[in-house]
């Protein structure tokens, strides 16, 4: 609760709103990388604007109704709070069968040292499309008491997928043979403390 209250103060949420906050967002689902993990290992609550996430094990968080198909853009504004772990966090797209053994999704992560990663999950296996790579567009966390804010975007075009951080295109990959129609959500790895102020989809159509 101390972390959540501190986040509210830092993000400008008034105490009068506190009673309306700090509940698991309605309709959202969680899948841990390790299925045996108890739900109590995750702190995931509504906190205007957006949601606060404090993880134990790595997981994906999503609302099954937030889907996209065709050509579209995902945008997420994320604040990283102080912590020792150099773990990745970000967004995923093309989510399919997320509650089943044959789950699949494409994900785009950054981490506190200013690097980004792109991977594809199919079932229990993952394949690396872009290994951890440094980029100056990523705001690093310097280890102090404040937060590091980054805006992640993925633009799915007719022939390629562009990955942007803070308005800068950090890389692009061919769209061919990648399933981009499906659920959009968040991926947060081990032991991180984040505030996600936005997760939106522009363009495209419902999956």
């Amino acid at each position: 609760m101390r972390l959540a209250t501190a986040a509210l103060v830092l993000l400008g949420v008034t105490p009068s709103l506190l009673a309306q906050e700090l509940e698991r967002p309605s309709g959202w689902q969680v899948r841990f990388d390790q299925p045996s993990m108890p739900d109590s290992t995750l702190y995931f609550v509504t906190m205007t604007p957006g949601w606060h996430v404090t993880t134990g094990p790595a997981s994906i968080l999503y609302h099954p109704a937030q889907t996209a198909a065709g050509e579209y853009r995902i945008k997420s504004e994320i604040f990283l709070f102080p912590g020792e772990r150099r773990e990745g966090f970000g967004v995923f797209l093309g989510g399919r069968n997320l509650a089943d053994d044959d789950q699949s999704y494409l994900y785009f992560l950054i981490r506190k040292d200013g690097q980004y990663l792109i991977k594809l999950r199919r079932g229990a296996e993952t394949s690396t499309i872009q290994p951890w790579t440094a980029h100056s567009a990523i705001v690093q966390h310097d280890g102090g008491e404040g937060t590091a804010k980054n805006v992640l975007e993925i633009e799915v075009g007719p022939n390629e997928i562009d990955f942007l951080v803070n308005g800068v295109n950090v890389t692009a990959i061919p769209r061919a043979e990648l399933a981009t129609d499906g659920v959009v959500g968040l991926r947060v790895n081990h032991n991180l403390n984040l505030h996600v102020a936005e997760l939106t989809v522009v363009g495209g159509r419902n999956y």
Side-chain angles (χ1 to χ4, degrees):
M1 183 67 75
R2 287 181 179 177
L3 288 173
T5 303
L8 284 166
V9 173
L10 285 170
L11 294 164
V13 178
T14 62
S16 63
L17 289 175
L18 186 59
Q20 303 171 35
E21 307 288 316
L22 309 183
E23 295 183 358
R24 180 68 63 89
S26 177
W28 282 69
Q29 297 184 18
V30 176
R31 176 164 184 163
F32 296 106
D33 285 3
Q34 301 176 36
S36 62
M37 291 294 103
D39 194 58
S40 59
T41 59
L42 172 71
Y43 182 77
F44 175 40
V45 296
T46 299
M47 186 181 292
T48 304
W51 313 273
H52 201 84
V53 183
T54 305
T55 57
S59 61
I60 56 171
L61 305 92
Y62 61 96
H63 195 297
Q66 189 165 30
T67 66
E71 298 175 28
Y72 60 91
R73 179 186 288 255
I74 301 168
K75 181 179 180 181
S76 186
E77 181 180 66
I78 305 177
F79 296 80
L80 175 64
F81 283 74
E84 297 298 322
R85 298 296 293 266
R86 191 182 63 166
E87 292 285 345
F89 58 93
V91 295
F92 74 83
L93 74 162
R96 301 186 181 196
N97 306 322
L98 295 179
D100 301 325
D101 291 341
D102 60 343
Q103 64 170 326
S104 63
Y105 56 89
L106 177 69
Y107 57 104
F108 175 39
L109 308 183
I110 61 171
R111 65 186 188 191
K112 64 183 292 184
D113 62 356
Q115 299 193 46
Y116 72 93
L117 169 80
I118 302 169
K119 295 185 79 171
L120 176 66
R121 175 178 289 278
R122 291 194 177 103
E125 303 298 322
T126 62
S127 55
T128 300
I129 295 174
Q130 176 74 43
W132 285 113
T133 303
H135 199 286
S136 59
I138 302 169
V139 176
Q140 300 184 41
H141 199 293
D142 62 7
E145 292 301 314
T147 62
K149 171 190 168 184
N150 284 280
V151 177
L152 280 66
E153 296 175 272
I154 305 176
E155 184 170 357
V156 180
N159 300 309
E160 68 179 20
I161 307 170
D162 294 302
F163 298 83
L164 301 91
V165 181
N166 299 317
V168 178
N169 193 326
V170 298
T171 194
I173 61 174
R175 183 176 174 179
E177 300 181 7
L178 288 173
T180 55
D181 294 354
V183 177
V184 170
L186 303 168
R187 178 168 176 90
V188 186
N189 285 352
H190 309 274
N191 298 319
L192 290 173
N193 183 19
L194 308 172
H195 185 83
V196 181
E198 177 184 1
L199 177 62
T200 55
V201 179
V202 177
R205 61 186 189 278
N206 288 338
Y207 171 63

